[in-house]
Amino acid sequence: MRELRQFVEVASRRSISAAAKHLNISQPALSRAIQKLEDSYGAPLFVRNGAGVALSPYGSALYSRAVRILPALDEAREEIEQLQGRAKAAIRIAAGDLWGLAILPDVVRDFAMTHPQVVVQVEIADEGTRLEGLRNGVYDLVFGTFSARYGPVVQVEFQPLVRQATFIYCDQDHPLRQRELVGIEELLARRWISPGYEDDAGPGSLGRLSRDFAVRVDTMMNALLLLRHSPFLMSASSGFQMLFRSFGIEALDIEDPGQADDSGVIYPARSLDRPAVRDFLQLARQTVTKLPLPTID
């Protein structure tokens, strides 16, 4: 089963190197595992292209079944171990940066105190990984914004929980912090940090304008540490305001703040069949009411 799980990871990420990094194994070792699986089926499972790898027709046939079989086997193993008293129940969660860094830590901590028999597994992941995990049955709950990409590939429910705007952040001693209201031209004259989003992320008309990016990083925490004591600016969710403030990072008041978007929980309907998942979701609803964001009634 290990080779089959590794195959699914490569297929999901369309890259052997990216899958190897996620699985914490070497790329040659993963390539050998895929070759072993191909030898066992007597057919090539992938074809290489300029961007990485893609499933062959044989690989597609295996993948469509593997993504159904593996979660079912995991659930069976988990249930058997629970019946034997050898393992706890588990809730599997994926989240974007806002939820993973600013909201869920309080939820997970409180839930762990009241549900000692349950282990919560949390992964901060990009939207593509969250979507693929829902499609493959990996996650019970996904927290973040809901996009049109979900509809065509997976049947899920979406419950909006908060509305988040996009703020412009900078170090607390940044010269623009002295301004009561910062205009677009002043923002465009500065250099920026991109925290793993697309470069056009930004409030209002700023999102449609080209900016001078000094640094692009993969994680929000890396971007946050780079922003401290720097002359740079960064776009990020309004939900980060309290967390960022503890690092000496503040939001600017700008002329065109743009609009707020819904953010919440995405899940397959079967997830709510489990009492622990329902309890976790209820606690998340209660927690968001404490945030400086407008909640969804």
Side-chain angles (χ1 to χ4, degrees):
M1 286 300 164
R2 181 177 61 183
E3 288 85 3
L4 192 59
R5 295 182 191 279
Q6 292 169 337
F7 160 76
V8 168
E9 190 67 31
V10 173
S12 299
R13 297 181 180 273
R14 299 180 179 87
S15 167
I16 292 178
S17 60
K21 181 178 179 181
H22 181 77
L23 293 167
N24 197 29
I25 62 175
S26 69
Q27 186 171 338
L30 183 55
S31 295
R32 289 193 296 271
I34 296 301
Q35 183 62 58
K36 180 179 178 181
L37 195 63
E38 290 179 324
D39 291 344
S40 70
Y41 283 103
L45 301 176
F46 293 100
V47 292
R48 283 179 167 74
N49 55 39
V53 296
L55 286 169
S56 70
Y58 312 105
S60 295
L62 177 61
Y63 180 80
S64 65
R65 289 160 178 79
V67 295
R68 295 195 299 270
I69 292 170
L70 290 174
L73 290 176
D74 288 339
E75 289 180 5
R77 180 189 297 276
E78 184 178 294
E79 184 173 349
I80 290 171
E81 290 178 347
Q82 291 170 29
L83 291 171
Q84 294 175 331
R86 296 190 296 114
K88 296 181 178 182
I91 298 177
R92 302 174 183 86
I93 294 170
D97 285 317
L98 170 63
W99 285 90
L101 297 175
I103 303 176
L104 289 183
D106 286 344
V107 181
V108 173
R109 183 169 53 248
D110 292 345
F111 182 86
M113 296 297 293
T114 58
H115 292 72
Q117 76 283 8
V118 182
V119 175
V120 183
Q121 302 174 3
V122 182
E123 179 181 354
I124 298 179
D126 60 40
E127 184 183 60
T129 301
R130 301 196 302 264
L131 172 59
E132 198 68 26
L134 279 173
R135 181 165 62 179
N136 297 343
V138 173
Y139 304 128
D140 298 304
L141 299 171
V142 165
F143 290 89
T145 55
F146 185 84
S147 75
R149 296 178 59 193
Y150 287 88
V153 296
V154 62
Q155 293 293 320
V156 291
E157 304 288 335
F158 173 58
Q159 287 188 22
L161 298 178
V162 299
R163 289 182 66 78
Q164 58 171 337
T166 302
F167 281 2
I168 304 302
Y169 293 96
C170 65
D171 185 78
Q172 61 187 1
D173 295 323
H174 195 286
L176 290 182
R177 285 274 297 149
Q178 308 304 316
R179 303 293 302 275
E180 290 187 3
L181 197 63
V182 182
I184 295 295
E185 293 301 322
E186 293 172 295
L187 296 174
L188 292 176
R190 304 287 174 165
R191 304 193 73 196
W192 292 72
I193 293 176
S194 176
Y197 301 147
E198 296 179 0
D199 286 351
D200 60 358
S205 59
L206 185 65
R208 300 187 293 273
L209 300 173
S210 177
R211 280 165 280 170
D212 180 9
F213 284 91
V215 185
R216 293 184 176 90
V217 294
D218 292 333
T219 69
M220 180 61 73
M221 286 305 298
N222 193 8
L224 176 58
L225 295 174
L226 286 169
L227 192 60
R228 294 176 66 193
H229 312 303
S230 83
F232 306 131
L233 305 178
M234 182 175 73
S235 295
S237 169
S238 55
F240 285 117
Q241 191 168 19
M242 292 180 64
L243 174 64
F244 283 9
R245 185 166 290 161
S246 67
F247 285 84
I249 302 299
E250 296 285 351
L252 295 172
D253 290 326
I254 64 174
E255 290 181 350
D256 184 5
Q259 298 180 340
D261 296 315
D262 291 346
S263 182
V265 60
I266 308 159
Y267 57 89
R270 62 176 177 79
S271 288
L272 297 191
D273 292 340
R274 301 174 59 195
V277 175
R278 294 198 301 270
D279 290 349
F280 188 92
L281 184 52
Q282 178 61 29
L283 186 57
R285 291 194 191 99
Q286 295 170 359
T287 300
V288 298
T289 62
K290 306 173 186 176
L291 293 175
L293 292 169
T295 57
I296 305 298
D297 295 328

PDB file of all heavy atoms in Angstrom, residues 128-142:
ATOM      1  N   GLY A 128      -5.195  24.306  -4.102  1.00  0.00           N
ATOM      2  CA  GLY A 128      -5.145  23.108  -4.934  1.00  0.00           C
ATOM      3  C   GLY A 128      -5.032  21.838  -4.110  1.00  0.00           C
ATOM      4  O   GLY A 128      -5.699  20.834  -4.391  1.00  0.00           O
ATOM      5  N   THR A 129      -4.196  21.861  -3.079  1.00  0.00           N
ATOM      6  CA  THR A 129      -4.035  20.698  -2.201  1.00  0.00           C
ATOM      7  C   THR A 129      -5.302  20.438  -1.416  1.00  0.00           C
ATOM      8  O   THR A 129      -5.717  19.289  -1.224  1.00  0.00           O
ATOM      9  CB  THR A 129      -2.855  20.922  -1.242  1.00  0.00           C
ATOM     10  OG1 THR A 129      -1.656  21.136  -2.006  1.00  0.00           O
ATOM     11  CG2 THR A 129      -2.654  19.716  -0.335  1.00  0.00           C
ATOM     12  N   ARG A 130      -5.967  21.507  -0.952  1.00  0.00           N
ATOM     13  CA  ARG A 130      -7.210  21.333  -0.203  1.00  0.00           C
ATOM     14  C   ARG A 130      -8.288  20.716  -1.094  1.00  0.00           C
ATOM     15  O   ARG A 130      -9.027  19.818  -0.677  1.00  0.00           O
ATOM     16  CB  ARG A 130      -7.690  22.677   0.359  1.00  0.00           C
ATOM     17  CG  ARG A 130      -6.672  23.341   1.278  1.00  0.00           C
ATOM     18  CD  ARG A 130      -7.286  24.437   2.119  1.00  0.00           C
ATOM     19  NE  ARG A 130      -7.921  25.510   1.390  1.00  0.00           N
ATOM     20  CZ  ARG A 130      -7.339  26.666   1.076  1.00  0.00           C
ATOM     21  NH1 ARG A 130      -6.058  26.874   1.370  1.00  0.00           N
ATOM     22  NH2 ARG A 130      -8.005  27.619   0.454  1.00  0.00           N
ATOM     23  N   LEU A 131      -8.382  21.191  -2.318  1.00  0.00           N
ATOM     24  CA  LEU A 131      -9.367  20.655  -3.258  1.00  0.00           C
ATOM     25  C   LEU A 131      -9.096  19.179  -3.550  1.00  0.00           C
ATOM     26  O   LEU A 131     -10.006  18.342  -3.528  1.00  0.00           O
ATOM     27  CB  LEU A 131      -9.342  21.468  -4.552  1.00  0.00           C
ATOM     28  CG  LEU A 131     -10.170  20.940  -5.727  1.00  0.00           C
ATOM     29  CD1 LEU A 131     -11.636  20.841  -5.333  1.00  0.00           C
ATOM     30  CD2 LEU A 131     -10.003  21.841  -6.943  1.00  0.00           C
ATOM     31  N   GLU A 132      -7.830  18.861  -3.804  1.00  0.00           N
ATOM     32  CA  GLU A 132      -7.476  17.479  -4.120  1.00  0.00           C
ATOM     33  C   GLU A 132      -7.745  16.567  -2.915  1.00  0.00           C
ATOM     34  O   GLU A 132      -8.209  15.438  -3.069  1.00  0.00           O
ATOM     35  CB  GLU A 132      -5.997  17.401  -4.516  1.00  0.00           C
ATOM     36  CG  GLU A 132      -5.614  16.145  -5.258  1.00  0.00           C
ATOM     37  CD  GLU A 132      -6.239  16.064  -6.639  1.00  0.00           C
ATOM     38  OE1 GLU A 132      -6.546  17.117  -7.221  1.00  0.00           O
ATOM     39  OE2 GLU A 132      -6.411  14.931  -7.143  1.00  0.00           O
ATOM     40  N   GLY A 133      -7.460  17.085  -1.708  1.00  0.00           N
ATOM     41  CA  GLY A 133      -7.712  16.287  -0.517  1.00  0.00           C
ATOM     42  C   GLY A 133      -9.186  16.005  -0.293  1.00  0.00           C
ATOM     43  O   GLY A 133      -9.561  14.908   0.136  1.00  0.00           O
ATOM     44  N   LEU A 134     -10.034  16.979  -0.588  1.00  0.00           N
ATOM     45  CA  LEU A 134     -11.476  16.748  -0.496  1.00  0.00           C
ATOM     46  C   LEU A 134     -11.927  15.715  -1.525  1.00  0.00           C
ATOM     47  O   LEU A 134     -12.729  14.822  -1.227  1.00  0.00           O
ATOM     48  CB  LEU A 134     -12.231  18.061  -0.712  1.00  0.00           C
ATOM     49  CG  LEU A 134     -12.336  19.007   0.478  1.00  0.00           C
ATOM     50  CD1 LEU A 134     -12.957  20.327   0.042  1.00  0.00           C
ATOM     51  CD2 LEU A 134     -13.147  18.386   1.606  1.00  0.00           C
ATOM     52  N   ARG A 135     -11.414  15.843  -2.717  1.00  0.00           N
ATOM     53  CA  ARG A 135     -11.806  14.906  -3.772  1.00  0.00           C
ATOM     54  C   ARG A 135     -11.367  13.485  -3.447  1.00  0.00           C
ATOM     55  O   ARG A 135     -12.064  12.513  -3.756  1.00  0.00           O
ATOM     56  CB  ARG A 135     -11.200  15.343  -5.106  1.00  0.00           C
ATOM     57  CG  ARG A 135     -11.579  14.423  -6.264  1.00  0.00           C
ATOM     58  CD  ARG A 135     -11.287  15.030  -7.601  1.00  0.00           C
ATOM     59  NE  ARG A 135      -9.878  15.296  -7.808  1.00  0.00           N
ATOM     60  CZ  ARG A 135      -9.382  15.818  -8.928  1.00  0.00           C
ATOM     61  NH1 ARG A 135     -10.197  16.144  -9.925  1.00  0.00           N
ATOM     62  NH2 ARG A 135      -8.099  16.027  -9.060  1.00  0.00           N
ATOM     63  N   ASN A 136     -10.212  13.354  -2.776  1.00  0.00           N
ATOM     64  CA  ASN A 136      -9.684  12.027  -2.466  1.00  0.00           C
ATOM     65  C   ASN A 136     -10.160  11.484  -1.128  1.00  0.00           C
ATOM     66  O   ASN A 136      -9.758  10.397  -0.722  1.00  0.00           O
ATOM     67  CB  ASN A 136      -8.149  12.070  -2.458  1.00  0.00           C
ATOM     68  CG  ASN A 136      -7.584  12.430  -3.818  1.00  0.00           C
ATOM     69  OD1 ASN A 136      -8.280  12.337  -4.825  1.00  0.00           O
ATOM     70  ND2 ASN A 136      -6.333  12.835  -3.862  1.00  0.00           N
ATOM     71  N   GLY A 137     -10.992  12.262  -0.422  1.00  0.00           N
ATOM     72  CA  GLY A 137     -11.476  11.794   0.863  1.00  0.00           C
ATOM     73  C   GLY A 137     -10.471  11.890   1.988  1.00  0.00           C
ATOM     74  O   GLY A 137     -10.609  11.214   3.012  1.00  0.00           O
ATOM     75  N   VAL A 138      -9.443  12.728   1.831  1.00  0.00           N
ATOM     76  CA  VAL A 138      -8.391  12.850   2.846  1.00  0.00           C
ATOM     77  C   VAL A 138      -8.858  13.680   4.026  1.00  0.00           C
ATOM     78  O   VAL A 138      -8.535  13.373   5.179  1.00  0.00           O
ATOM     79  CB  VAL A 138      -7.118  13.465   2.223  1.00  0.00           C
ATOM     80  CG1 VAL A 138      -6.066  13.749   3.291  1.00  0.00           C
ATOM     81  CG2 VAL A 138      -6.555  12.545   1.145  1.00  0.00           C
ATOM     82  N   TYR A 139      -9.613  14.766   3.763  1.00  0.00           N
ATOM     83  CA  TYR A 139      -9.973  15.712   4.811  1.00  0.00           C
ATOM     84  C   TYR A 139     -11.445  15.586   5.198  1.00  0.00           C
ATOM     85  O   TYR A 139     -12.318  15.401   4.346  1.00  0.00           O
ATOM     86  CB  TYR A 139      -9.715  17.149   4.348  1.00  0.00           C
ATOM     87  CG  TYR A 139      -8.298  17.404   3.906  1.00  0.00           C
ATOM     88  CD1 TYR A 139      -8.034  17.980   2.660  1.00  0.00           C
ATOM     89  CD2 TYR A 139      -7.216  17.084   4.713  1.00  0.00           C
ATOM     90  CE1 TYR A 139      -6.744  18.228   2.242  1.00  0.00           C
ATOM     91  CE2 TYR A 139      -5.918  17.325   4.307  1.00  0.00           C
ATOM     92  CZ  TYR A 139      -5.685  17.890   3.069  1.00  0.00           C
ATOM     93  OH  TYR A 139      -4.401  18.130   2.654  1.00  0.00           O
ATOM     94  N   ASP A 140     -11.690  15.740   6.501  1.00  0.00           N
ATOM     95  CA  ASP A 140     -13.069  15.813   6.986  1.00  0.00           C
ATOM     96  C   ASP A 140     -13.614  17.228   6.841  1.00  0.00           C
ATOM     97  O   ASP A 140     -14.790  17.418   6.508  1.00  0.00           O
ATOM     98  CB  ASP A 140     -13.132  15.397   8.462  1.00  0.00           C
ATOM     99  CG  ASP A 140     -12.695  13.967   8.683  1.00  0.00           C
ATOM    100  OD1 ASP A 140     -13.292  13.075   8.055  1.00  0.00           O
ATOM    101  OD2 ASP A 140     -11.763  13.742   9.473  1.00  0.00           O
ATOM    102  N   LEU A 141     -12.774  18.219   7.133  1.00  0.00           N
ATOM    103  CA  LEU A 141     -13.171  19.619   7.063  1.00  0.00           C
ATOM    104  C   LEU A 141     -12.048  20.418   6.399  1.00  0.00           C
ATOM    105  O   LEU A 141     -10.867  20.162   6.642  1.00  0.00           O
ATOM    106  CB  LEU A 141     -13.418  20.197   8.462  1.00  0.00           C
ATOM    107  CG  LEU A 141     -14.513  19.554   9.316  1.00  0.00           C
ATOM    108  CD1 LEU A 141     -14.454  20.108  10.736  1.00  0.00           C
ATOM    109  CD2 LEU A 141     -15.890  19.799   8.701  1.00  0.00           C
ATOM    110  N   VAL A 142     -12.429  21.387   5.590  1.00  0.00           N
ATOM    111  CA  VAL A 142     -11.477  22.314   4.988  1.00  0.00           C
ATOM    112  C   VAL A 142     -11.953  23.728   5.300  1.00  0.00           C
ATOM    113  O   VAL A 142     -13.123  24.057   5.084  1.00  0.00           O
ATOM    114  CB  VAL A 142     -11.370  22.106   3.462  1.00  0.00           C
ATOM    115  CG1 VAL A 142     -10.686  23.284   2.800  1.00  0.00           C
ATOM    116  CG2 VAL A 142     -10.615  20.820   3.157  1.00  0.00           C
TER     117      VAL A 142
END
